[in-house]
Amino acid sequence: MVLESKIPEGPIGEKWEKHKFNVKLVNPSNKRKYDVIVVGTGLAGASAAASLAELGYNVKAFTFHDSPRRAHSIAAQGGINAAKNYQNDGDSVYRLFYDTVKGGDYRSREANVYRLAQVSVNIIDQCVAQGVPFAREYGGLLANRSFGGAQVSRTFYARGQTGQQLLLGAYSALSRQVAYGKVKLYTRSEMLDLVTVDGQARGIITRNLLTGEIEQHAAHAVVLATGGYGNVFFLSTNAMYCNATAAWRAHKKGAYFANPCFTQIHPTCIPVSGDYQSKLTLMSESLRNDGRVWVPATKETAERLRKGEINVNDIQEADRDYFLERKYPAFGNLVPRDVASRNAKLMCDEGKGVGSTGLAVYLDFADVIKRTSAEAVSQKYGNLFDMYAKITGENPYERPMRIYPAVHYTMGGLWVDYNLQTTVPGLYATGECNFSDHGANRLGASALMQGLADGYFVIPYTIGDYLAQTAPKPVTTEDPAFAEATAAVQARVQQLMSINGNRTPDDFHKKLGHLMWEYCGMSRNAEGLRYAKSEIQQLKKEFWSDLKLAGTETEMNQALEKAGRVADFIELGELMVDDALDRNESCGGHFREEYQTPEGEALRNDDDYAYVAAWEYQGENQPEKLNKEELTFENVKLTQRSYK
């Protein structure tokens, strides 16, 4: 298949406006004849469902939570970017566009990124109108702060609860449409397969997580807004429920999977403390506005610190290495996440790490507390400081936080064109579920921006172009494709339940996560990736022969849910390794040790790898086929990324 990105012609600043005029429309009286399924009710899903219903479409919204308010979007802490230039510090739509393309190490599609920057200004107005309590300056204007990869202040925030407050706004819009009867909300329902009729998406198969019942749902189009796949690593900042099943099952029905190896490691996470942990806790990137990252200047001092011979507050300024400020004077502690993470790892590899494991660096607020006050810091970051104190038992007002990189976000996802449509006609992917906007590294505070941009301002226009060419006759589950998909889902469930081995889903998941973190994590090399691939293939065989599940499939069974997700993670993990092995360069979050500059920075190969890798499923246990969407850069010059 030829990948048609459907990027509009013309100057980049005019593409979106012209495209909105040129797409086909569905007249208002016809909209009520079309049904749309939205899977996922986080920021991307809730905003899409609410907006489509407001337009007049009949929407079915699905979440595996008991309420959309539990979507993982609430965990986003630090803020949302928008090119408002309220600080009058030189920001603009073009600068946000440029920062995003550069931050993604020139591996994103220019047209999509520019559109994102354009609509960012509308998102803030929309959310303020919904009552989102953004922080404000003394005079009442909305406040901004800085995030990594930018030299301007463009991040709007609500203390350290920005994601939660934005989701409450989207949820209120969704609830309004539920009350009007335009959205039918299905809670505790997990999508287990996509149904295609004549090659077009026409519905989904779900499992009721309370009763175990397999259900069929038909629609004229399907929108996936199911988040990312970071939990393939087992330990990540994602909620334990986050998974890749919906996207992966769609992939196996024809949706190409793009850039799966582009995963983001967040530098500001509370370090691992033991084997008992099931997830990791993020400390917002916003803390790097005022916190200074450092390690002891010598291995000897670090070793004495780890042994408890000295206290962190005993270390004088001359004996501290503020390594980000030293190496990147222009951006300092606000370098992008991939750069900060690699440098933290490098310090620990050199023996300068702190904490009992030596796998941590300090994030110190002593300077800002001295310059302002502890009360002023609390007003900006209080809930984050409280969270850190509860988890670690340490007071971050009195001693530095200990942080270490952890898996956080996935830039890869289902391939979509400019309309956010996948390679399956009628199937759309929004938010973190798609690949489109962030290249090889996402800038902080841009996830919320993309999710709401896709849901509020992109999909309501672009889905109409497809529906206008679709007959408005009712779509039902009577088509044989629904019975076939249902039978396949039931057979898979039965297969999982009948293995009757000795190992739990978590046992396999932890093993997979260890392989992925060690060999396809912060740094990769060909030898390690080949080893990981063989181990994952062996793990898959063991999974399907030695899995143990209690209970039955006709009741609430969380072990069964987890088993299905882990099976998908194992297959996705192998594809991630294949993608990383195939891309013989370093870019953003994909750091191949064989390809780096003399200074240890990522070394791209634009001649051979300036493309989107879109993988096509070829059948069970068959190698996937690589398709390429060549990336062209007409507005941003390809240069070696530098934050010095």
Side-chain angles (χ1 to χ4, degrees), residues 537-611:
Q537 289 175 334
Q538 179 60 33
L539 186 67
K540 181 178 179 179
K541 294 177 182 177
E542 294 172 7
F543 177 89
W544 289 104
S545 62
D546 201 24
L547 174 70
K548 181 178 179 62
L549 294 179
T552 69
E553 69 274 19
T554 57
E555 61 182 346
M556 183 176 178
N557 190 335
Q558 291 185 319
L560 173 59
E561 297 170 32
K562 183 67 182 285
R565 296 165 189 169
V566 172
D568 295 330
F569 277 141
I570 291 173
E571 295 178 355
L572 173 56
E574 184 177 354
L575 181 61
M576 292 168 67
V577 168
D578 286 340
D579 190 42
L581 192 56
D582 185 75
R583 188 172 283 273
N584 293 315
E585 66 164 352
S586 291
C587 57
H590 169 63
F591 191 77
R592 282 283 295 271
E593 295 169 0
E594 306 96 322
Y595 308 102
Q596 53 184 302
T597 68
E599 296 81 21
E601 304 294 341
L603 182 61
R604 296 195 322 271
N605 178 350
D606 295 328
D607 291 336
D608 298 321
Y609 294 98
Y611 61 74

Side-chain angles (χ1 to χ4, degrees), residues 302-621:
E303 188 172 346
R304 292 184 64 200
L305 195 60
R306 291 192 294 268
K307 290 180 178 178
E309 296 176 2
I310 56 174
N311 186 281
V312 58
N313 292 328
D314 296 332
I315 301 177
Q316 301 300 309
E317 281 289 304
D319 298 321
R320 300 181 178 190
D321 180 8
Y322 296 93
F323 56 92
L324 293 179
E325 298 173 32
R326 169 173 57 82
K327 296 180 69 173
Y328 307 99
F331 282 75
N333 295 299
L334 287 174
V335 292
R337 292 173 177 178
D338 61 313
V339 177
S341 294
R342 280 198 300 275
N343 278 275
K345 180 181 184 297
L346 179 63
M347 292 298 107
C348 294
D349 289 346
E350 291 179 358
K352 297 179 182 179
V354 300
S356 59
T357 63
L359 295 177
V361 300
Y362 285 127
L363 183 61
D364 198 334
F365 295 87
D367 281 3
V368 67
I369 290 174
K370 183 178 180 181
R371 187 173 69 250
T372 57
S373 67
E375 181 181 357
V377 172
S378 176
Q379 288 177 355
K380 293 171 73 174
Y381 310 117
N383 62 309
L384 299 172
F385 277 50
D386 291 345
M387 184 164 58
Y388 181 88
K390 288 179 181 179
I391 291 173
T392 65
E394 299 175 4
N395 186 342
Y397 294 100
E398 298 176 356
R399 56 188 296 148
M401 290 182 179
R402 288 176 292 107
I403 59 170
Y404 192 68
V407 173
H408 178 58
Y409 187 90
T410 52
M411 286 75 66
L414 295 181
W415 184 91
V416 293
D417 61 18
Y418 191 72
N419 291 328
L420 305 185
Q421 187 171 222
T422 70
T423 48
V424 177
L427 176 66
Y428 292 78
T430 61
E432 191 179 357
C433 184
N434 73 33
F435 88 99
S436 69
D437 292 353
H438 306 298
N441 174 65
R442 177 176 66 78
L443 293 184
S446 287
L448 304 183
M449 176 175 63
Q450 186 207 350
L452 291 180
D454 288 354
Y456 282 138
F457 298 109
V458 179
I459 200 71
Y461 288 99
T462 60
I463 201 170
D465 188 56
Y466 171 77
L467 293 175
Q469 302 173 67
T470 303
K473 62 182 182 182
V475 178
T476 71
T477 59
E478 299 300 316
D479 192 282
F482 282 89
E484 183 180 337
T486 301
V489 167
Q490 291 172 330
R492 183 180 175 88
V493 170
Q494 289 290 340
Q495 185 180 8
L496 288 168
M497 293 300 305
S498 64
I499 296 171
N500 199 27
N502 300 295
R503 297 165 64 182
T504 66
D506 268 350
D507 186 30
F508 290 101
H509 197 181
K510 288 180 180 179
K511 173 68 173 176
L512 174 66
H514 176 76
L515 289 168
M516 296 300 297
W517 177 250
E518 291 297 321
Y519 302 106
C520 197
M522 257 192 290
S523 63
R524 303 99 184 255
N525 59 61
E527 181 182 0
L529 289 166
R530 282 191 284 265
Y531 172 78
K533 180 176 175 67
S534 65
E535 288 294 301
I536 292 172
Q537 289 175 334
Q538 179 60 33
L539 186 67
K540 181 178 179 179
K541 294 177 182 177
E542 294 172 7
F543 177 89
W544 289 104
S545 62
D546 201 24
L547 174 70
K548 181 178 179 62
L549 294 179
T552 69
E553 69 274 19
T554 57
E555 61 182 346
M556 183 176 178
N557 190 335
Q558 291 185 319
L560 173 59
E561 297 170 32
K562 183 67 182 285
R565 296 165 189 169
V566 172
D568 295 330
F569 277 141
I570 291 173
E571 295 178 355
L572 173 56
E574 184 177 354
L575 181 61
M576 292 168 67
V577 168
D578 286 340
D579 190 42
L581 192 56
D582 185 75
R583 188 172 283 273
N584 293 315
E585 66 164 352
S586 291
C587 57
H590 169 63
F591 191 77
R592 282 283 295 271
E593 295 169 0
E594 306 96 322
Y595 308 102
Q596 53 184 302
T597 68
E599 296 81 21
E601 304 294 341
L603 182 61
R604 296 195 322 271
N605 178 350
D606 295 328
D607 291 336
D608 298 321
Y609 294 98
Y611 61 74
V612 177
W615 295 89
E616 180 181 359
Y617 183 72
Q618 298 290 292
E620 196 70 25
N621 297 317

Side-chain angles (χ1 to χ4, degrees), residues 11 13 23 49 91 97 109 168 189 211 222 225 233 298 337 382 396 412 514 537-538 546 559 580 613 633:
V23 294
D91 200 12
F97 157 70
R109 190 190 288 153
L168 288 173
S189 295
T211 67
V222 177
F233 291 86
T298 65
R337 292 173 177 178
H514 176 76
Q537 289 175 334
Q538 179 60 33
D546 201 24
F633 295 90

